[in-house]
Amino acid sequence: MTTGPTGAAGTSEDTGAGRPIRVLVADDQMMVREGFSVLLNAMPDIEVVGEAVNGREAVDRVRELAPDVVLMDIRMPELNGIEATREIVAADGAAKVLVLTTFDLDEYVYQALRAGASGFLLKDASARQLADGVRVVASGEALLAPSVTKRLITEFSKLSDGPRITATAQAAYGDLTERETEVLVLIAQGLSNAEIAQRLVVAESTIKTHVSRILVKLGLRDRTQAAVFAYEARLVTPG
């Protein structure tokens, strides 16, 4: 992956009390788990607190260890990464899931984003990209490699002829102000808070407030979920 995360990367302060970002690595390949653990533990602000060899163990380890970020492989035995992500998100609102994949245009990645994952990284990401991805997800920025993420969401949103959001979500969307709707569309287009602020000629702090209100009104976890919502509600035209 050649493009990096958008927005300022988070720091250890984002996880509370200045402590390191706690990471769980879930992958059925030992070399992948150990390799990522070594790379991340070399970072002063990141600590790998555990590993999991399948999706079921990942769910159990999240409950046991309460990590800030879960690096989640999609194709794993017993319980795949998509279902594991869904269970983790439903059980623990604090843990953020960062999906690991071999191919950027992968329908399973899109399904994982819909299940509640906060972003994704290719398995051949550099040590710096891996660490930055963990920091960004931990800080709540969430959208990784917007050019790739946007392309993936756009490609698979074409699979439906109409909006895929629920009636409840449609009602919640009606509560957004005109400016909040405008910000939501720009989020889906892959713009960072700073870029949105520049586009709308307002302070970045104002955009952060709008984003927070959008997430609360729509009942979403982060910017990635907001982008998925915007595409599935057809607020942004695929292509």
Side-chain angles (χ1 to χ4, degrees):
M1 180 168 55
T2 58
T3 54
T6 61
T11 66
S12 58
E13 294 180 355
D14 296 315
T15 58
R19 66 174 174 80
I21 300 170
R22 294 165 53 82
V23 177
L24 173 71
V25 180
D27 196 292
D28 61 340
Q29 297 182 35
M30 182 178 64
M31 290 184 63
V32 173
R33 294 195 310 274
E34 293 184 351
F36 283 169
S37 295
V38 169
L39 291 174
L40 291 175
N41 277 327
M43 305 294 169
D45 60 334
I46 299 175
E47 176 188 7
V48 176
V49 296
E51 299 178 2
V53 301
N54 58 56
R56 175 52 58 201
E57 186 176 1
V59 173
D60 293 340
R61 296 288 274 171
V62 167
R63 188 180 303 112
E64 173 190 352
L65 300 171
D68 301 304
V69 177
V70 181
L71 288 180
M72 180 76 75
D73 185 27
I74 290 180
R75 296 171 178 83
M76 291 188 293
E78 294 194 31
L79 188 69
N80 64 42
I82 297 170
E83 293 304 320
T85 295
R86 185 173 288 112
E87 289 194 23
I88 288 170
V89 170
D92 185 347
K96 304 291 182 65
V97 178
L98 184 56
V99 172
L100 299 170
T101 182
T102 305
F103 305 103
D104 57 0
L105 284 180
D106 186 333
E107 183 175 2
Y108 292 108
V109 176
Y110 178 66
Q111 293 177 10
L113 293 177
R114 296 191 73 235
S118 295
F120 72 95
L121 280 175
L122 298 185
K123 283 191 174 182
D124 63 357
S126 68
R128 178 177 179 179
Q129 289 170 332
L130 178 64
D132 283 348
V134 167
R135 295 184 185 111
V136 169
V137 167
S139 71
E141 282 294 322
L143 273 180
L144 304 178
S147 62
V148 179
T149 301
K150 178 185 174 185
R151 191 167 77 249
L152 182 145
I153 294 174
T154 299
E155 187 66 25
F156 290 101
S157 65
K158 294 177 181 177
L159 297 178
S160 173
D161 294 331
R164 299 170 68 176
I165 61 175
T166 64
T168 300
Q170 288 177 328
Y173 164 63
D175 291 335
L176 297 183
T177 65
E178 183 177 346
R179 178 47 62 94
E180 287 167 351
T181 301
E182 190 174 10
V183 171
L184 176 59
V185 169
L186 293 175
I187 289 174
Q189 292 175 351
L191 274 65
S192 66
N193 284 347
E195 291 168 335
I196 295 174
Q198 185 177 21
R199 175 79 63 87
L200 301 181
V201 195
V202 298
E204 185 174 350
S205 59
T206 300
I207 298 303
K208 290 181 180 179
T209 299
H210 285 315
V211 173
S212 296
R213 289 176 177 170
I214 290 168
L215 297 180
V216 170
K217 287 183 178 181
L218 298 180
L220 303 173
R221 286 166 55 85
D222 53 40
R223 296 169 67 93
T224 299
Q225 301 309 299
V228 172
F229 179 96
Y231 275 96
E232 295 192 335
R234 293 297 188 262
L235 300 180
V236 180
T237 303

